[in-house]
Amino acid sequence: MEKRFFILSAFLSAFLFCACLKTFAQIPNRLNFDKKIVHYGIRIGYSQAVLNITEKENSPYSDTLYGIGSYYVPGLLVGVLADLRLGEYVNLRLSPGLCLNDRNVEYYFKSNDPKSLTKTQLKTVESVFGDLPLELKIRSKRWINFRPYLLTGMHYSFNLASLRKITNIDDQEKVMQINPNDLQYIVGAGFDFYFRYFKFAIELKMSLGINNLVDNRGDIYTDSIEKMKSRMFFFTLTFE
């Protein structure tokens, strides 16, 4: 899934890049845009999230639980952007928003069925994140209407779905609770395109979780996990 994400992002980036090529041959647009101390924008994007899971070595459930896995789940993000100019090549950005991206955890148990050695049980981490990324944008020199840049920074997320009270018994069996607070490190790159009336950017970012998200509830699903950290990929379009 991770490989498909990069292929899709590369294809979309190439398509949008080609669509913007004709702007290179024109007179430079919005020459004073980057001289503003503060400017604002909006962003929308596609995300993929997974949980990096480290199992306990001496788990009391090792006889019945063969393994635990997680796979990428697609999502959507929307938000706003506030950009502060620190220098000719450096900007500080704050971009609060919402990210709708569930995570899945698969548990592989010993099966009593002679046709199958294991049986799988899926737990869903319902996630509606309130995001607060603080990023440092390091830009190159502008070439006509094109300017590449790098990103780094920190990303705080709070899972708003954790505030929902689960009353249905079936939901309790399917839904997994984790620590709602997550701090992540961000790295990425992007391209600014200057049009006549606005600036448009394509970004590809990755965030790596720092916090251990395990919420130990004294059951087989949490006691068997030593560490659980988030990892996300973002393909974002920004309009400023």
Side-chain angles (χ1 to χ4, degrees), residues 67-115:
I68 308 171
S70 179
Y71 55 87
Y72 284 94
V73 179
L76 175 70
L77 67 94
V78 292
V80 295
L81 171 72
D83 187 291
L84 174 65
R85 185 178 187 269
L86 300 180
E88 184 178 357
Y89 300 107
V90 181
N91 288 51
L92 185 65
R93 306 196 318 175
L94 184 66
S95 50
L98 289 175
C99 181
L100 288 72
N101 208 148
D102 290 345
R103 289 105 179 264
N104 289 334
V105 181
E106 284 190 334
Y107 293 84
Y108 306 102
F109 293 94
K110 181 180 179 181
S111 174
N112 294 324
D113 186 352
K115 296 181 180 179

Side-chain angles (χ1 to χ4, degrees), residues 179-233:
N179 187 342
N181 297 285
D182 193 13
L183 185 64
Q184 306 163 19
Y185 176 70
I186 300 172
V187 291
F191 304 92
D192 281 333
F193 299 94
Y194 297 81
F195 292 89
R196 185 174 180 180
Y197 299 108
F198 63 93
K199 184 173 75 170
F200 168 72
I202 303 169
E203 292 181 3
L204 183 63
K205 298 188 294 185
M206 176 178 66
S207 67
L208 301 172
I210 298 173
N211 293 5
N212 186 358
L213 301 180
V214 175
D215 184 2
N216 199 318
R217 293 174 176 264
D219 56 26
I220 189 173
Y221 303 105
T222 55
D223 277 359
S224 54
I225 299 177
E226 183 72 31
K227 294 180 182 179
M228 179 186 292
K229 296 185 178 182
S230 63
R231 183 168 63 184
M232 299 185 72
F233 293 93

Side-chain angles (χ1 to χ4, degrees), residues 21 40 44 79 92 103 108 118 174 186:
L21 276 178
Y40 305 95
I44 184 170
L92 185 65
R103 289 105 179 264
Y108 306 102
T118 62
K174 296 177 182 178
I186 300 172

